[in-house]
Amino acid sequence: MKQSRHFVPSMIQNFDGSCGIVEEGDRGDGKIRINEQRWSLISSSTKRKSRRPKYSKFTQQELPACKPILTPGWVISIFVTIGIIFIPIGFASLFASERVVEIVDHYDKDCVPLRYTDDKLAFIQNSKTNKTCIRRLTVPKQMKSPVYIYYQLDHFYQNHRRYVKSRSDSQLRSKSDENTTTNCAPERNSPNGAIVPCGLIAWSLFNDTYKFSVKNKQLGVNKKDITWKSDKGNKFGSDVYPKNFQSGGLIGGAKLNSSIPLSEQEDLIVWMRTAALPTFRKLYGRIEVDLEANDVVIVTIENNYNTYSFGGNKKLVLSTASWIGGKNYLLGIAYLTVGGLCLFLAISFILLYLIKPRPLGDTSYLSWNRSASGGLIFTS
């Protein structure tokens, strides 16, 4: 009797990616009878597309690149170069700063009458008290023109978030946005309408004034071009005039001339550029004559600005300028520190290399030196 053969279908995958059905029989006569029918698993229109990116040197990160080897010679040369450049710049900065002549007068406490020494706030808030104060400043060295006049405030946080946001830039730029006072609270509106300029920054405008004389001769103070040109030209409109400003019951600072556009009120523009630190200086004007050594400058101050309520300080600063600006020792010290540190490291590496040298590895084994394509080469 012949044995029956049973065929079991199974699926195999061919080398070309197609699939076929194979029928496997039993081993009754020691042979396998296979009937293979090839067929495609997925039609050509629905074949899965490969996600492999198209080959390029960019996608495979094989573009030519600079791959420096930091040998001891290179490292020492870099540190020496930085030191040689930075140290002369540091000395030049210190010498330039040393040539700047600066006079600082801390006048806020001395300009309070004796009977108000224990209650300075009552003095500054009383509109009937005499705020005029006379100060005498001696010039230590010749001060060549222009002599810059600054006022300095301490412990005044112009960088406070609510203070910085209390302004309307669109109102300052254009008359058509006169009523845009959304962010100006609490100085937004008055009984007569919108306040221009609105906000706490403008409301707290510095209002101390200074007059100068030498040998009974009045010195003029030039207040032109004391602002940034970008601020004057782009942030303050020539058609915007003060309106309802400082008209409430509580006066914060200086008043503005309602007949002059904001773009010409440079004291306001200087003040509106808020400071990043609680101690800052702002430019008040320029004296455009030379001040000789030992000259006595008579300063008439109107002490109006209230810094007593928050424990702040007011200072008057007269200063010349150099190619790095005003007196600033920090810049020169920073350059000298970095330059000196680099020279110290260079000398340390030289001694270390001479006393305990380490041989540099063979750079021919680096992958980019062994393969033109920039890839790694593996050997057995």
Side-chain angles (χ1 to χ4, degrees):
M1 181 181 293
K2 295 182 178 180
Q3 283 185 325
S4 62
R5 293 178 174 84
H6 301 281
F7 297 94
V8 181
S10 63
M11 184 178 294
I12 64 171
Q13 184 173 7
N14 300 313
F15 289 106
D16 60 356
S18 62
C19 295
I21 295 178
V22 177
E23 294 179 349
E24 296 180 356
D26 54 11
R27 298 178 178 271
D29 56 357
K31 297 181 179 180
I32 299 176
R33 301 173 68 180
I34 300 175
N35 181 18
E36 179 180 346
Q37 181 183 2
R38 301 178 64 185
W39 61 288
S40 176
L41 181 63
I42 303 175
S43 65
S44 59
S45 60
T46 60
K47 282 186 178 180
R48 180 181 298 174
K49 295 182 178 180
S50 174
R51 295 185 179 180
R52 178 181 296 175
K54 184 179 179 181
Y55 173 79
S56 70
K57 289 188 176 182
F58 177 76
T59 58
Q60 297 303 316
Q61 300 183 12
E62 295 176 0
L63 292 174
C66 178
K67 301 170 183 177
I69 306 299
L70 292 178
T71 62
W74 271 106
V75 173
I76 292 171
S77 299
I78 291 172
F79 279 126
V80 170
T81 303
I82 294 175
I84 291 174
I85 294 174
F86 274 44
I87 289 178
I89 294 177
F91 279 117
S93 300
L94 287 179
F95 290 150
S97 183
E98 186 65 27
R99 286 196 297 268
V100 173
V101 183
E102 186 176 273
I103 303 172
V104 180
D105 181 38
H106 188 180
Y107 66 87
D108 55 346
K109 294 179 181 178
D110 294 335
C111 285
V112 176
L114 292 177
R115 62 193 180 110
Y116 287 103
T117 302
D118 296 329
D119 194 359
K120 299 180 180 66
L121 191 59
F123 161 75
I124 202 70
Q125 290 179 342
N126 189 344
S127 60
K128 297 181 179 179
T129 55
N130 183 14
K131 305 295 194 304
T132 303
C133 178
I134 306 297
R135 306 287 290 173
R136 289 173 173 81
L137 307 178
T138 302
V139 180
K141 297 179 182 178
Q142 184 188 38
M143 302 179 72
K144 292 185 177 181
S145 64
V147 179
Y148 295 93
I149 307 167
Y150 299 91
Y151 55 88
Q152 177 176 320
L153 297 180
D154 300 336
H155 310 300
F156 191 110
Y157 290 85
Q158 272 198 320
N159 58 352
H160 192 283
R161 183 180 64 86
R162 292 185 65 185
Y163 183 87
V164 172
K165 291 179 64 177
S166 185
R167 60 186 294 165
S168 175
D169 289 323
S170 59
Q171 184 200 61
L172 297 173
R173 281 193 301 265
S174 175
K175 185 178 181 180
S176 59
D177 293 322
E178 182 179 285
N179 295 318
T180 305
T181 59
T182 305
N183 297 324
C184 293
E187 292 297 316
R188 292 179 56 188
N189 300 300
S190 72
N192 298 322
I195 298 174
V196 181
C198 66
L200 288 175
I201 304 177
W203 176 79
S204 60
L205 176 61
F206 188 78
N207 62 343
D208 281 7
T209 61
Y210 311 108
K211 294 180 181 179
F212 303 88
S213 63
V214 175
K215 299 177 182 178
N216 297 322
K217 181 180 178 181
Q218 195 74 21
L219 300 179
V221 177
N222 186 0
K223 292 196 169 212
K224 292 292 183 181
D225 300 325
I226 62 174
T227 65
W228 290 24
K229 290 184 179 179
S230 59
D231 287 356
K232 187 176 180 179
N234 302 327
K235 295 185 177 182
F236 293 83
S238 59
D239 61 342
V240 183
Y241 291 83
K243 185 177 179 181
N244 302 319
F245 186 70
Q246 303 286 22
S247 60
L250 184 61
I251 305 301
K255 296 185 178 182
L256 298 175
N257 191 334
S258 59
S259 63
I260 301 176
L262 296 186
S263 61
E264 300 298 327
Q265 308 224 25
E266 299 199 27
D267 283 333
L268 173 69
I269 299 174
V270 170
W271 180 257
M272 293 291 286
R273 177 168 283 276
T274 54
L277 300 175
T279 297
F280 57 87
R281 292 179 181 180
K282 291 185 180 291
L283 187 59
Y284 181 84
R286 297 185 301 271
I287 298 174
E288 297 185 333
V289 296
D290 295 345
L291 300 179
E292 300 299 329
N294 299 320
D295 278 351
V296 177
V297 181
I298 307 299
V299 187
T300 304
I301 302 173
E302 291 296 327
N303 184 23
N304 298 313
Y305 200 69
N306 181 12
T307 57
Y308 307 105
S309 59
F310 57 87
N313 298 318
K314 294 186 291 186
K315 297 175 183 178
L316 171 65
V317 181
L318 302 181
S319 176
T320 58
S322 66
W323 60 273
I324 62 169
K327 188 178 286 293
N328 183 4
Y329 291 109
L330 180 61
L331 184 63
I333 292 172
Y335 271 105
L336 287 176
T337 302
V338 175
L341 181 61
C342 288
L343 285 183
F344 172 77
L345 291 175
I347 295 172
S348 300
F349 288 154
I350 291 173
L351 295 176
L352 184 63
Y353 183 71
L354 294 176
I355 295 172
K356 192 176 180 181
R358 290 182 59 188
L360 187 67
D362 189 353
T363 58
S364 64
Y365 284 96
L366 295 173
S367 61
W368 54 85
N369 290 334
R370 298 170 58 193
S371 171
S373 61
L376 292 174
I377 296 178
F378 297 96
T379 59
S380 57

